[in-house]
Amino acid sequence: MRDNIVLIGFMGSGKSTVGRMLSKQTNKYFIDTDALIESNENCKIRTIFESLGEQYFRQREGELADWLSQNVNNAVVSTGGGMPVFVENIQNIGSCIYLDIGFEQLLARLKNEEFDKRPLFQNIDFARTIYEARVPMYEKYANFKIDAMMAPQEICDKIVALTN
Ligand code: S3P
């Protein structure tokens, strides 16, 4: 397994915030898979979904997961919420940390603009359905599970302790 720390979990669970903080603390480089896909495609995730479709996005995610597992080491990788579900084995990228948060807690925490940029979070009932379907997948691929309601710094400290 590669020496990367991979953050997995549902949309809005804090993967990017924690990932950026953790990368500074661990002296690893930070990679956000959504940001990398947007940069590579020169297009926002929302536009990719609207103009090219979810299938196209999942293919790009799959290629990126392969590339990360073959080429990247010593990084903190924040993944899109669907990555563990749609790629073959997310653990090929590194040690997976599941940021666990209840659906209602998520709703209470997310701001309007954070819904706007997420095509699969436009309808709460739909989002709840995929949340429930995905939790077992996050659990399956998690090397460690952490309560995402803790403060980001506390989460980082736990991850450092767990992965050292
Ligand atoms: C998705 C999550 C998003 C992004 C895309 C699809 C998903 O990432 O990859 O909108 O299927 O859960 P975040 O988890 O960073 O919001």
Side-chain angles (χ1 to χ4, degrees), residues 11 15 34 45 49 57-58 61 80-82 118-120 134:
M11 296 175 265
K15 292 164 290 182
D34 284 341
I45 300 287
F49 269 69
F57 175 74
R58 297 303 173 197
E61 262 192 330
R118 294 183 163 103
L120 299 182
R134 283 177 180 185

Side-chain angles (χ1 to χ4, degrees), residues 9-152:
F10 202 66
M11 296 175 265
S13 56
K15 292 164 290 182
S16 300
T17 306
V18 168
R20 207 167 275 116
M21 195 180 259
L22 183 65
S23 73
K24 298 217 164 58
Q25 197 164 327
T26 55
N27 258 332
K28 294 177 185 285
Y29 220 85
F30 175 63
I31 293 175
D32 182 311
T33 61
D34 284 341
L36 211 50
I37 291 172
E38 286 186 336
S39 163
N40 218 46
E41 298 290 309
N42 194 22
C43 194
K44 293 282 174 203
I45 300 287
R46 187 138 188 206
T47 314
I48 297 176
F49 269 69
E50 280 164 10
S51 55
L52 299 159
E54 179 171 352
Q55 184 70 13
Y56 179 87
F57 175 74
R58 297 303 173 197
Q59 280 164 359
R60 302 289 80 74
E61 262 192 330
E63 287 165 6
L64 177 53
D66 288 345
W67 181 80
L68 289 168
S69 60
Q70 284 158 29
N71 297 289
V72 173
N73 235 330
N74 206 26
V76 173
V77 181
S78 163
T79 60
M83 218 182 201
V85 181
F86 291 96
V87 308
E88 199 128 296
N89 184 0
I90 192 98
Q91 287 184 334
N92 288 340
I93 304 175
S95 181
C96 290
I97 315 287
Y98 168 29
L99 297 189
D100 177 29
I101 185 167
F103 190 75
E104 299 307 322
Q105 293 169 314
L106 251 183
L107 289 184
R109 200 164 85 164
L110 276 179
K111 298 194 180 71
N112 280 349
E113 68 269 19
E114 294 180 275
F115 289 109
D116 289 348
K117 65 178 183 193
R118 294 183 163 103
L120 299 182
F121 224 136
Q122 299 306 300
N123 176 300
I124 304 289
D125 289 335
F126 176 75
R128 187 182 280 108
T129 304
I130 59 173
Y131 172 89
E132 279 161 11
R134 283 177 180 185
V135 165
M137 299 293 282
Y138 298 140
E139 301 263 359
K140 175 178 170 194
Y141 287 110
N143 295 100
F144 304 105
K145 175 163 96 169
I146 293 192
D147 176 5
M149 284 301 280
M150 293 189 307

